[in-house]
């Protein structure tokens, strides 16, 4: 099956801090603020290796990030999973100014559906049809996968209902962030894909 996991974002970088060390490689993290056409902001965590960052200081600057979606299971309970998403940066370009046409937010990947019985429902306020798929994006040269939720609207929601568990799909869309309440008190940022186009693929394996 085809392996595909591409993200391209532009926006303003936040403060760069040390993230972690892995097999002698050092990684840093910053938050990227991406402005929607509506004026609302999405804020995404970006992780970058020091060999890519070098001596560049992105703090407070307009940049373009290309990379891939990643997830990390932060649960300490082996019987439960709590996936936290971030963007693993492959390349960062510093811009002189904000992108004139508006911030870039493009996502494309091939994934396997993990949703057993997807269904569509109407939103309570706008009465617009919506469906969700939880998917696994296989990594290149690895048996591991990265997990994220996809949201489909209107006719896309009807198509999502036809996707069965373990079916492969190709997705084009945009990455979105939102805050949710945990235990009714604290908020936590979660990330999902707003799907523009989805294609069901035949399993080549």
């Amino acid at each position: 099956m085809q392996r595909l996991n591409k993200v391209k974002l532009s926006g303003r970088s936040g403060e760069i801090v040390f993230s972690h060390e892995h097999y002698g490689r050092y990684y840093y993290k910053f938050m990227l603020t991406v402005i929607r056409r509506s004026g609302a902001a999405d804020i995404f965590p970006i992780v970058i290796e020091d060999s890519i960052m070098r001596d560049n200081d992105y703090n407070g600057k307009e940049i373009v990030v290309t990379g891939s979606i990643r997830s990390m299971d932060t649960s300490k309970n082996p019987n439960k999973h709590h996936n936290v998403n971030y963007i693993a940066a492959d390349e960062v370009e510093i811009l002189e100014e904000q992108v004139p046409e508006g911030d870039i937010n493009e996502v494309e990947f091939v994934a396997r559906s993990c949703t057993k019985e997807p269904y569509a429902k109407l939103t309570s306020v706008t009465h617009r049809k919506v469906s969700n798929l939880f998917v696994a994006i296989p990594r290149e040269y690895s048996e591991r996968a990265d997990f994220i939720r996809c949201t489909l609207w209107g006719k896309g929601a009807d198509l999502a209902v036809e996707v069965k568990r373990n079916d492969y799909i190709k997705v084009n869309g945009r990455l979105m962030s939102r805050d949710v309440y945990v235990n009714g008190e604290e908020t936590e940022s979660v990330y999902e894909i707003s799907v523009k186009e989805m294609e069901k693929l035949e399993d080549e394996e």
Side-chain angles (χ1 to χ4, degrees):
M1 178 57 63
Q2 177 187 8
R3 303 291 175 106
L4 177 64
N5 184 349
K6 294 181 179 179
V7 177
K8 186 174 184 179
L9 302 169
S10 71
R12 184 173 293 273
S13 168
E15 181 182 3
I16 301 171
V17 297
F18 177 74
S19 175
H20 63 281
E21 177 189 357
H22 185 66
Y23 291 106
R25 295 181 177 181
Y26 296 89
Y27 294 84
Y28 293 82
K29 177 181 177 181
F30 61 89
M31 304 303 290
L32 182 71
T33 300
V34 180
I35 305 300
R36 302 182 193 177
R37 290 185 179 180
S38 65
D42 293 296
I43 303 176
F44 307 117
I46 311 294
V47 175
I48 184 170
E49 189 180 347
D50 60 351
S51 62
I52 299 174
M53 185 173 68
R54 299 178 181 177
D55 295 326
N56 291 313
D57 182 10
Y58 307 126
N59 189 12
K61 296 180 179 179
E62 293 291 329
I63 60 174
V64 175
V65 176
T66 55
S68 54
I69 298 170
R70 290 286 184 262
S71 66
M72 178 174 56
D73 188 356
T74 60
S75 176
K76 296 180 180 180
N77 185 337
N79 298 318
K80 293 185 178 181
H81 298 283
H82 182 68
N83 289 295
V84 175
N85 292 107
Y86 63 94
I87 303 303
D90 297 323
E91 183 180 354
V92 177
E93 176 188 358
I94 298 177
L95 303 175
E96 294 295 329
E97 59 183 9
Q98 188 176 16
V99 177
E101 299 81 10
D103 283 335
I104 300 167
N105 188 334
E106 301 171 353
V107 178
E108 183 180 21
F109 58 81
V110 169
R112 175 178 55 83
S113 174
C114 300
T115 304
K116 187 176 181 180
E117 296 180 355
Y119 63 93
K121 64 180 180 180
L122 296 177
T123 59
S124 58
V125 178
T126 63
H127 301 289
R128 191 180 176 192
K129 191 178 293 185
V130 63
S131 183
N132 295 306
L133 291 175
F134 188 63
V135 302
I137 307 172
R139 292 192 187 183
E140 272 194 297
Y141 314 114
S142 173
E143 296 300 319
R144 297 183 60 186
D146 296 289
F147 299 87
I148 195 165
R149 190 173 83 157
C150 296
T151 301
L152 299 96
W153 299 89
K155 294 181 179 179
D158 292 327
L159 179 59
V161 173
E162 299 176 6
V163 176
K164 307 305 180 185
R165 188 172 186 177
N166 293 325
D167 282 350
Y168 280 91
I169 55 175
K170 185 176 181 179
V171 172
N172 286 278
R174 66 191 309 275
L175 187 62
M176 303 182 70
S177 68
R178 60 188 178 90
D179 292 334
V180 299
Y181 283 98
V182 180
N183 299 324
E185 298 177 358
E186 300 179 357
T187 60
E188 178 183 271
S189 296
V190 296
Y191 308 95
E192 59 192 21
I193 306 299
S194 178
V195 178
K196 294 180 180 178
E197 297 179 353
M198 185 181 73
E199 176 187 359
K200 187 175 176 181
L201 303 176
E202 295 296 329
D203 192 348
E204 299 174 356
E205 297 179 341

